Amino acid sequence: MTRTVYVNGEYLPETEAKISIFDRGFLMADGVYEVTSVLDGKLIDFDGHAVRLARSLDELDMQAPCSKEELLEIHRELVARNEIVEGLVYLQVTRGSDGDRDFVFPDPETTKPTIVLFTQNKPGLADNPAAKKGAKIISIEDIRWGRRDIKTVQLLYPSMGKMMAKKAGADDAWLIEDGYVTEGTSNNAYYVKDGTIVTRPLSNDILHGITRKAVLRMAAEAQMVVEERLFTIDEAKEADEAFTTSASAFVMPVIEIDGVALGDGTPGPIAKRLREIYLEESLKAAI
Ligand code: PDD
């Protein structure tokens, strides 16, 4: 089946979708994105992603290409046309193309934003074997820019981080700045010690994860203790367990940090429980 994608108002086969070579997303990484998961053919936390998209656009003085209602309609249409039961919807908005290359932002009256959406079919996303095994992570320096709260498409360093992890025989990397863990390359980071869940507080230093917000709410509802504070990688290495959260992997247990096994080296009970609760609750609220 040829995938149907959405580009600037049109549903097209992926082979026919086109973007200008002058698009600022391509030339300058002048764009933002969202990834929304699909379970049971429904969107998980669409509202959270739409609100964060609006904030990212606002922070960069970029126009919204359409209303939230239209966005929901496009997401649903793509899920239906591509028969996605479990998978992801990727959305990207860029500042568009004014037909040349210029550092100065084009006039928003004449240059409209580019909007692209496509689906990724991922059967078995909820029942991911990687989550049963748990992830091995390494720590690397965080050399990204200072506005990580904006979900931009500047993903070169996160990609390099994943490659460094792969080369080291690990699955992912956590990023360290001024001695403290910021987040994972494409997820938020947590450790658990003596029943307390520790994660970095929200600021411009990390992405305000939609999954993070939901998981912290669910943890509180389940009477789990959460501390939002800075933490070092050495603290995390001494933890009983650790995990990450993201829209594409939900709650992912971490079993090893820089070669040090956590607990008995298998996914910990709190990470496993939070994954179960998250999947159950999110499915109930999916639209
Ligand atoms: N990544 N931190 C970073 C740097 C991320 O890129 C992501 C998401 C998160 C988790 O945010 P959320 O829970 O809203 O997905 C945290 C997405 C999934 C990606 O780039 O594919």
Side-chain angles (χ1 to χ4, degrees):
M1 191 170 98
T2 310
R3 177 162 48 173
T4 299
V5 303
Y6 179 91
V7 184
N8 294 331
E10 280 187 289
Y11 293 93
L12 298 165
E14 65 178 64
T15 45
E16 285 172 31
K18 289 194 180 71
I19 297 287
S20 164
I21 63 158
F22 299 113
D23 193 280
R24 291 180 61 90
F26 176 64
L27 294 180
M28 314 250 173
D30 189 358
V32 298
Y33 76 108
E34 283 295 331
V35 177
T36 303
S37 55
V38 178
L39 291 176
D40 217 2
K42 295 191 205 118
L43 299 162
I44 303 297
D45 221 332
F46 172 80
D47 208 63
H49 290 284
V51 168
R52 186 172 61 191
L53 173 70
R55 180 181 180 276
S56 293
L57 291 169
D58 213 46
E59 291 295 315
L60 296 175
D61 270 334
M62 222 184 269
Q63 287 174 286
C66 60
S67 70
K68 191 161 129 188
E69 291 68 32
E70 284 166 322
L71 262 192
L72 176 58
E73 177 55 35
I74 302 165
H75 275 74
R76 283 179 160 160
E77 189 63 32
L78 282 183
V79 168
R81 288 195 191 206
N82 293 299
E83 298 173 13
I84 306 295
V85 178
E86 288 193 357
L88 305 169
V89 180
Y90 176 88
L91 152 90
Q92 179 167 330
V93 180
T94 77
R95 206 181 301 273
S97 155
D98 63 356
D100 207 345
R101 179 177 182 269
D102 190 347
F103 282 85
V104 174
F105 291 174
D107 180 353
E109 284 306 312
T110 47
T111 301
K112 295 295 158 201
T114 298
I115 174 169
V116 168
L117 285 93
F118 59 82
T119 54
Q120 290 184 301
N121 191 24
K122 298 207 181 270
L125 187 64
D127 207 19
N128 187 353
K132 292 200 178 72
K133 220 169 116 226
K136 294 179 180 175
I137 60 136
I138 58 164
S139 59
I140 60 172
E141 198 189 339
D142 194 340
I143 59 166
R144 298 172 301 162
W145 78 324
R147 289 304 306 274
R148 302 156 194 160
D149 56 309
I150 307 172
K151 199 163 171 58
T152 74
V153 296
Q154 303 174 67
L155 296 177
L156 182 54
Y157 190 63
S159 291
M160 289 168 72
K162 297 239 190 229
M163 293 313 294
M164 288 183 234
K166 203 172 161 187
K167 220 170 154 187
D171 303 296
D172 206 348
W174 281 9
L175 308 170
I176 316 284
E177 186 174 57
D178 300 332
Y180 296 103
V181 175
T182 51
E183 58 188 333
T185 56
S186 64
N187 42 58
N188 292 116
Y190 312 73
Y191 80 80
V192 185
K193 183 76 178 173
D194 299 329
T196 299
I197 301 166
V198 178
T199 194
R200 191 180 177 105
L202 295 182
S203 69
N204 291 352
D205 300 335
I206 61 168
L207 186 73
H208 301 190
I210 302 305
T211 321
R212 177 189 185 279
K213 189 175 179 188
V215 165
L216 291 188
R217 190 190 69 238
M218 290 167 196
E221 282 165 7
Q223 319 296 330
M224 295 176 184
V225 183
V226 178
E227 270 180 27
E228 292 183 66
R229 61 171 174 80
L230 299 186
F231 65 94
T232 65
I233 199 74
D234 286 339
E235 272 175 73
K237 281 184 203 165
E238 285 176 10
D240 301 322
E241 54 174 299
F243 61 92
T244 60
T245 61
S246 69
S248 51
F250 313 121
V251 178
M252 176 61 68
V254 167
I255 53 163
E256 194 182 291
I257 300 176
D258 289 334
V260 178
L262 305 184
D264 65 0
T266 65
I270 291 186
K272 282 200 285 194
R273 183 74 194 116
L274 280 174
R275 184 177 175 90
E276 278 167 15
I277 300 175
Y278 178 78
L279 286 171
E280 200 182 303
E281 295 294 314
S282 306
L283 250 179
K284 270 194 237 157
I287 57 169

